[in-house]
Amino acid sequence: MSVNDSFTPATRLAIYRTARLINLIDERFRSLLRSGRLAAVYYSPRGQEILAAAMGVHLKSSDYLVTTYRGIHDQLAKGIPLRQLFAEYYAKATGACKGKGGPMHITHPASGVMVTTGIVGSGLPIANGLAWASQLKKDGRVTLVTFGDGASNIGAFHESLNMASLWKLPVIFLCQNNLYGESSKYEKTTAVDNISERAASYNMVGVTVDGNDPEAMWKASGAAVARARAGEGPTLIEAKTFRFMGHYFGDPGAYIPKEEYDAHMARDPMPLCRAALLSSGAATEADLAAYDEEVNAQIEDALQFAADSPFPDVEEIDRDVYGVVKGAAA
Amino acid sequence: MSVNDSFTPATRLAIYRTARLINLIDERFRSLLRSGRLAAVYYSPRGQEILAAAMGVHLKSSDYLVTTYRGIHDQLAKGIPLRQLFAEYYAKATGACKGKGGPMHITHPASGVMVTTGIVGSGLPIANGLAWASQLKKDGRVTLVTFGDGASNIGAFHESLNMASLWKLPVIFLCQNNLYGESSKYEKTTAVDNISERAASYNMVGVTVDGNDPEAMWKASGAAVARARAGEGPTLIEAKTFRFMGHYFGDPGAYIPKEEYDAHMARDPMPLCRAALLSSGAATEADLAAYDEEVNAQIEDALQFAADSPFPDVEEIDRDVYGVVKGAAA
Amino acid sequence: MSTPAAAAKPEVITFTEAFSRALHDAMEMDPSVITLGEDIADEEGGGIFKVTKGLSTKFGGARVRTTPISEQAIVGAAIGASLAGMRPVAEIMLMNFITVPMDQIVNHAAKLRFMSGGQTHVPITIRTRTGAGAGTGGQHSDMLEAWFAHVAGMKVVVPSTPADAYGLLLGCIFDDDPCLFIEDQLTRTQTGPVPVKGQRIALGKAHVAREGKDVSVIGYGRPIRDAMVLAEKLAGEGISIEVVDLRTVSPLDTDTIMKSVAKTGRAVVVHEAPRSFGCGAEIVARIQEQLFGQLKAPVLRVASRDVTVPFAKVLEQEYLYKASAIEASIRKTLEQRASR
Amino acid sequence: MSTPAAAAKPEVITFTEAFSRALHDAMEMDPSVITLGEDIADEEGGGIFKVTKGLSTKFGGARVRTTPISEQAIVGAAIGASLAGMRPVAEIMLMNFITVPMDQIVNHAAKLRFMSGGQTHVPITIRTRTGAGAGTGGQHSDMLEAWFAHVAGMKVVVPSTPADAYGLLLGCIFDDDPCLFIEDQLTRTQTGPVPVKGQRIALGKAHVAREGKDVSVIGYGRPIRDAMVLAEKLAGEGISIEVVDLRTVSPLDTDTIMKSVAKTGRAVVVHEAPRSFGCGAEIVARIQEQLFGQLKAPVLRVASRDVTVPFAKVLEQEYLYKASAIEASIRKTLEQRASR
Ligand SMILES: Cc1ncc(C[n+]2csc(CCOP(=O)(O)OP(=O)(O)O)c2C)c(N)n1
Ligand SMILES: Cc1ncc(C[n+]2csc(CCOP(=O)(O)OP(=O)(O)O)c2C)c(N)n1
Ligand SMILES: [Mg+2]
Ligand SMILES: [Mg+2]
């Protein structure tokens, strides 16, 4: 895609479809958690569907993704298969990580999901390495690493952006600024008005964009991907968004002022995208209803697959510790 | 001092005197090292005397200093007594640290030298803590932390400046940009034209100044100290300078292009300051010669003190491990 | 000591309440006590585990600071403030995140007293939380105390009851050396008798939690709770277990350990951390060095498996040390007669 | 093996040459081998210790990269590149600086294979250098191998001769797990026989450096060189020492250790790191667990003192483990008869 490509209704539809997939799966997971039919620490992406989808349409499955505990939207936008994803949430042997990693460590190289980390900021240095390998192999791959606003205050962020710029690495730093880190407000922990301004510390291109606006996010993402593929180096994208479901599932979110929450809710990107799509004529109510049915069927299938799958054998505990021989255990 | 105070010949003289003290001690140490009469890893401050002196005249002994392995100029500008300093270099029981810390860990609270670290960038987080304590006690102290250009690429730098700005701490981050980190050129490791530009990432005041120009350095330092004392928060000062003696004593410095080296040498700040001082009439050749004699006498005294002092008792090894009881040894 | 029975008694508190009370009482007693960490102020809900709830409201935002996600800056700020005479308590939310500020802790907090020849010291307390069993997987469950026990200058403390948690946390805060205080996330709602307000427990002293004559069970933290239950059960069979709760893992109270094992001649060492190169090895090594010939059986270790903490419950339980293994080891040391 | 005699032989190389040759040969053999670290390229002089000299000129700046002073980014870049099929060798200039990238090493490099269920793995080698005796003080001398030995998924390697250094470094580079390779800064100019080009030494296997029947001396790295000298000397007195060089500290080759001690019945464990909670404790613990009753004397440990490495030579020497202490311990285990 070239930066001048125009944003078509078809593109909006593509973005909506991915975002809606994320949206429906998130809704389902939260209802399963509420009813106790799923037991896992869960970090909802509710509110951040559009930005992940708008970036996702620019990426190939061969491109690399490094994400975080709040990463299910990134993983789905990257095309991870539902069955392995769900089975991992259910700690089943058929899960992407055989139930050994769990939701916080989803990995699926076939779809380019290389690392999901539970440590704030730690994905950035690793993303540089994936991009360095692509630069050496000239394989044209782009590495996308996503993280939050809070992560922009940790040392690894600084070291990584400096190195990526010096080495002109094909990497995209996507900061999903949802205005909170756990229960801490952005202003209380981050001494800069826009995180994208920090790119200047590394002679790097930095842009702030409304992550909830499909067109704006699609343009910014496309430009960054094009820059990386052309060997012109990294980009820092700050996608402004909001976290509708608190930090983790069950977080009462009492620290968020009601007016602030309501103001964001009034601009929930999902219904907005849906409305724009309908008015653009790219899809009808019927089309979207049909799509929901299609997705719900996939969800049912994946849930059934997870339910029918066995838990890992106890023997699994000794596997994957070392490559060849089992390690340090006496 | 207020920012508008003008730079007088008397001030230049005060700066020269401190810088010359540093200069003469450094010359002496290097001759002692050459002749093998001193055995220690030594990081010469040659070329960075003026910036340390120009900052030093603004500080009280009650202010705090956190410096690095290349810190003898900062320590002398802060007023550390020669006897304890030299004795520590000579690993004597009368040294500031009883010979247990050595040149890389010079500590002397009475003159405000709180920490000297051998770990790049690690002084910055600690400086914030000293400044936090001053803020809580309202004791009006300022904390100065010095570090190199290379240190501006490590994570601790980023975390520290962000926190200092958020908390409006009375701390001054003095980056002594001597254009090299060990044998690596600035451009190869640092993706920004001026390190002071990084202050913008933290809504912090950042200035780049010619550290070898007494007036410019004095003005920038004075403004930063005034800002800190007034409770207006931290400042990042990037003092451009050069490292004439390589990274450590004995470093052949083959990685520095001759033209580059010569160009800097031609602007050696010490003779320039001396000349300006004489032409300003603030001092005569005779005055400066007398001062050198005075300093050389102090150096002789301190060297004699160090020479006459005993090495620490072997028992010292078990002291200062824990406050009350000796620790983990079986 | 806390036993299941205790949980029934009226006058009890949870571990979380004990941690919280210690912080409140310390800040009340001494204005130089200050605290910092992620989300710890009341504006942020008083901490993700609510241990710091109420502190910022009571003592103000200047002494109780919510920080950015910057563990190096958090520990560094604590160190610096301590050099200026404060007694900072820094919270590192979970122990796996302590891998981030290792330089500040090991190269600075632990060494500054020695390297300065005693001119400065670092009276900080680092509170952190961890422990497997909650299904949080490989990066949120590690017990890494062995690293810090291996660093001279550090003190490492792990409580096994709410009352000890209170007394030991006070002990850390008012100790003049850098202390690492480890809170177990799995037992945080368990209860025990209420501690005496303001009463500190001295660091560096192990506690004989239960006297016995047949086998010494030596450990710290969560497994001590299992050992106390087991001791009660085995007493029914006439097996007399002595439970030695180290409380302070390092510096290690060798005397109390030797006194106990010299008496029993049999020992089982237990901890939650993985077995290999864990703290248990040091305890075993010292016992055989000092009591060789007096031992009636080899000193056995019970610990978790040498693998990454798995997510799946079935695997996580397999990873964890087991109370049943403590019992089996006790019986094994009793069967065994010195084979010479 | 290297003995003082060897140093005299014509065909010898230094440790530094051995490290360097291994890197050159590995990069020549396999284009996926890449390396990064501070000042390592020839433009910067080929590394502060010259180990990487010539690499960037020979293999180009794309594969041999001088980095900023950013240890987290250095190790992270190595991890990421390894996930994409490369075999990165990262240099952490001195071991005390490895406290900075601990999160990348412990939470990521060591765990990704397990947490991904084997879908990814991290074949990186982290070369670092350390060791006391050079007068560099508290922040430039620490032996921290015990930390990494306690982390499942990591391999820890410490060579005791130039030939081993070459073979083991190749072994690390071509191993499919994250390896920590520790170079001793004090002996780097010492020499030993030349290794066979391209010949790797398998990880996880200890090496009986000298056979003997009276006492097993077990260790790794620098102290093994002392042990070999001592063994030669004591042989003159008719004392037969078996020297077991672990080579790989973790995973620990328990079989070779037990085979040796089962034969001798006496063991002295030695390492440079401070004694308490060091790797020696694990070795002692396993020996007494497995050979209880067959031991003729307690297993003794020789190690450095539990303090910060001091600057003053007199104190630094007092800090360091001593060859004389190894000899004294050997004699002590020989005097002692099981006191029952
Ligand atoms: C190094 C580290 N410190 C602290 C934590 C605990 N923690 C987990 S998520 C989180 C907040 C992160 O906020 P942000 O980066 O904005 O991402 P978001 O959760 O909002 O998507 C914190 C502090 C952690 N996982 N790692
Ligand atoms: C964390 C860490 N990494 C690497 C080193 C090794 N080292 C010591 S000084 C130095 C260069 C520092 O350069 P700079 O910050 O510019 O300071 P300068 O020496 O030029 O004054 C390096 C890499 C260290 N001491 N600490
Ligand atoms: Mg956020
Ligand atoms: Mg420099």
Side-chain angles (χ1 to χ4, degrees), chain D residues 1-3 6 9 160-161 164 193 207 209-210 224 228 245 247:
Chain D
M1 294 308 307
S2 160
T3 65
K9 294 210 203 86
S160 69
T161 71
D164 280 13
H207 170 64
R210 178 186 176 111
I224 290 297
M228 294 300 286
D245 181 353
R247 285 179 169 171

Side-chain angles (χ1 to χ4, degrees), chain A residues 96 107 117 122 135 137 322-323, chain D residues 65 84 103 108 117 119 154 177:
Chain A
T107 309
T117 184
S122 298
Q135 189 182 60
K137 298 178 180 177
Y322 291 96
Chain D
R65 298 218 171 162
D103 161 60
H108 297 87
Q119 295 178 100
M154 286 296 300
D177 291 305

Side-chain angles (χ1 to χ4, degrees), chain B residues 48 69-70 147-151 176-182 184 243:
Chain B
Q48 304 179 202
Y69 52 89
R70 192 184 314 282
F147 52 96
D149 45 295
Q176 305 184 1
N177 183 353
N178 56 22
L179 308 181
Y180 283 86
E182 291 213 344
S184 295
R243 216 186 47 181

Side-chain angles (χ1 to χ4, degrees), chain B residues 64 88 96-98 100-102 105 107-110 113-130 132-137 155-156 159-160 162-163 166-167 169 316-330, chain C residues 34-36 62-86 88 100 103-104 107-108 110 112-120 149 151-155 175-177 250-252 254 282 286 289-290:
Chain B
Y64 295 127
E88 192 61 30
C97 308
K98 301 192 219 160
K100 297 166 86 168
H105 306 300
T107 309
H108 191 258
V113 181
M114 301 306 288
V115 176
T116 299
T117 183
I119 310 294
V120 167
S122 298
L124 286 76
I126 296 172
N128 278 346
L130 287 159
W132 180 24
S134 292
Q135 191 181 59
L136 286 166
K137 298 178 181 178
E159 295 188 8
S160 302
N162 185 58
M163 182 181 279
L166 288 166
W167 295 5
L169 297 175
E316 266 304 328
I317 194 152
D318 288 330
R319 300 196 191 113
D320 308 320
V321 179
Y322 290 97
V324 199
V325 294
K326 163 72 175 71
Chain C
I34 55 181
T35 177
L36 75 168
R63 283 177 68 192
V64 181
R65 298 219 171 160
T66 282
T67 67
I69 306 169
S70 308
E71 281 78 9
Q72 295 189 76
I74 290 169
V75 175
I79 293 171
S82 77
L83 294 173
M86 311 303 283
V100 176
D103 161 61
Q104 288 293 325
N107 288 327
H108 297 86
L112 287 177
R113 180 192 287 273
F114 189 92
M115 295 194 304
S116 72
Q119 295 178 100
T120 60
V151 175
M154 286 295 301
K155 292 181 177 174
D175 187 88
D176 284 340
D177 291 304
S250 177
L252 186 59
T254 311
E282 178 65 29
R286 292 192 192 185
E289 281 157 9
Q290 298 183 36

Side-chain angles (χ1 to χ4, degrees), chain D residues 24-25 27-28 42 53-61 63-64:
Chain D
H24 277 273
D25 294 351
M27 293 194 74
E28 206 157 57
D42 290 336
K53 202 162 176 37
L55 291 175
S56 66
T57 303
K58 192 145 137 216
F59 302 104
R63 284 177 68 192
V64 181

